[in-house]
Amino acid sequence: MRRRLPPLNALLAFEAAARHGNFTRAAHELSVAQPAVTRHIANLENWFGTSLFKRNGNHVSLTAQGQEVADLALGAFDRLELGFDRLAKRGENELVIGASFGMAHLWVMPRISELRDAAHGAAINFVTSDTYTDFDSNKVDFSIRFGTGHWPGYAADLLFREEVQVIATPKFLQAHPSLDPNNLTETLTQDWMLDHGDEHAIGWFTWHTWHQHHQLGFDTTRLFTEIRNYPTLLDMVLSGEGVGLGSSGLEDPHVLSGELVRLGPVISRPDHGYYLVYDPDTLEKPAAQNLRNHLLTEAKHRLDSGATP
């Protein structure tokens, strides 16, 4: 029986555009003209019967449906790439980094050029998954994980600590004058809270955690609006649908641009943060040692200066 799959050339163009957040950069990666990427994505949208990107001038962002397709496509292509690499007996001059889709999209990819420079020419590829056990393959050199730094059998270096604050758009604050940023426990209502949850029990700071931190009860009959992943949560907050819990280091560009504002005090739990996780034998690769040294130098500077990631 013939497989019912979308056109694979179109899916490949979509995956590149979703990863870069830009059609032109996707076209450059695929060595095609930008209109070809646009046509492929239009074909894919026709196949799904829905828009996959929101277009605002030269800026594009994924719709909720597009986010789901991106999650599937990124995971599928990552696994294919790793499988084919294994068959091709890839050499030592390559590094594979595992990260959640949110971490890959919001933190790793904006640094990809400096990571490639630090690896002194080694190719860098990725495995994206929100399930950390997917990173336990011996084909993954490094992974970036949230937690307390304890993964049996692995070394873990702190990249940046957990720092959580409530985030909203200025327009949302204007539309809800009863919300007092200096008195969130009294004026923030559960109806406004967008939550990414903790489906895989990683230990994320959720609205349940926020209520517990402030020793507040919450109405269990009125469920939070749960979003599947952090990038989608940010999109929802940016569109003015509600407020979220922001993690410093992941939403910084939106705060610096003024699209988002941070409300209330910073909350941080001891030892919680984002760690570079690896098998110590990985450092036998010179490229791996160089990349780790770069990230730890950056992390030390950030921690010493008290700067936001």
Side-chain angles (χ1 to χ4, degrees):
M1 184 174 65
R2 183 177 179 180
R3 293 185 184 276
R4 187 175 181 275
L5 294 171
L8 295 184
N9 282 344
L11 194 62
L12 189 65
F14 166 79
E15 186 268 348
R19 187 158 29 84
H20 288 289
N22 184 281
F23 288 5
T24 301
R25 287 199 291 271
H28 179 74
E29 176 184 309
L30 298 172
S31 299
V32 299
Q34 190 268 342
V37 171
T38 302
R39 285 195 303 273
H40 279 312
I41 290 172
N43 290 338
L44 200 62
E45 290 178 326
N46 287 335
W47 194 89
F48 281 107
T50 188
S51 296
L52 301 178
F53 286 97
K54 292 178 285 188
R55 296 161 174 84
N56 183 11
N58 293 326
H59 177 71
V60 296
S61 60
L62 291 167
T63 63
Q65 179 78 9
Q67 188 74 66
E68 292 187 32
V69 176
D71 289 346
L72 290 171
L74 283 167
F77 283 128
D78 283 341
R79 284 169 175 75
L80 282 172
E81 188 172 35
L82 278 180
F84 293 150
D85 278 347
R86 192 178 301 117
L87 292 175
K89 299 180 181 179
R90 72 168 201 268
E92 291 290 300
N93 199 33
E94 179 178 11
L95 295 175
V96 176
I97 299 175
S100 67
F101 180 78
M103 172 57 68
H105 180 67
L106 298 170
W107 195 85
V108 179
M109 292 311 298
R111 292 169 168 78
I112 188 60
S113 294
E114 63 186 68
L115 295 182
R116 291 189 191 280
D117 288 343
H120 293 182
I124 296 179
N125 288 308
F126 299 93
V127 172
T128 53
S129 174
D130 287 327
T131 305
Y132 286 169
T133 53
D134 289 345
F135 305 149
D136 292 338
S137 164
N138 60 8
K139 298 301 181 181
V140 175
D141 297 293
F142 293 109
S143 60
I144 300 174
R145 312 188 192 192
F146 178 84
T148 60
H150 302 292
W151 289 274
Y154 291 92
D157 300 319
L158 179 66
L159 294 177
F160 56 95
R161 296 189 184 96
E162 174 190 62
E163 291 185 345
V164 175
Q165 278 180 281
V166 177
I167 53 173
T169 62
K171 287 186 178 180
F172 186 89
L173 294 179
Q174 292 173 4
H176 300 84
S178 62
L179 175 56
D180 182 355
N182 297 313
N183 189 14
L184 295 177
T185 58
E186 296 292 333
T187 62
L188 182 57
T189 71
Q190 196 165 319
D191 291 336
W192 298 335
M193 297 176 182
L194 304 174
D195 194 49
H196 57 65
D198 192 10
E199 180 182 358
H200 301 290
I202 289 171
W204 305 118
F205 199 100
T206 66
W207 281 114
H208 287 170
T209 319
W210 187 87
H211 280 79
Q212 291 169 354
H213 175 84
H214 290 290
Q215 299 182 331
L216 297 172
F218 53 87
D219 185 354
T220 57
T221 66
R222 299 169 68 186
L223 299 178
F224 298 122
T225 301
E226 290 200 1
I227 315 299
R228 258 181 35 148
N229 57 53
Y230 193 75
T232 303
L233 173 72
L234 280 183
D235 284 342
M236 293 285 286
V237 175
L238 286 165
S239 68
E241 293 294 316
V243 301
L245 290 168
S247 180
S248 294
L250 300 184
E251 88 283 13
D252 293 349
H254 298 295
V255 174
L256 292 173
S257 70
E259 296 175 285
L260 291 176
V261 292
R262 293 172 173 148
L263 314 176
V266 176
I267 301 173
S268 183
R269 293 175 292 177
D271 297 329
H272 281 76
Y274 289 88
Y275 289 81
L276 184 70
V277 180
Y278 54 94
D279 184 321
D281 291 343
T282 295
L283 300 184
E284 293 178 5
K285 286 185 180 182
Q289 182 70 260
N290 292 335
L291 182 62
R292 173 181 177 268
N293 289 344
H294 168 78
L295 287 172
L296 293 190
T297 298
E298 181 182 330
K300 184 177 186 304
H301 173 73
R302 193 161 52 233
L303 292 171
D304 288 346
S305 66
T308 301

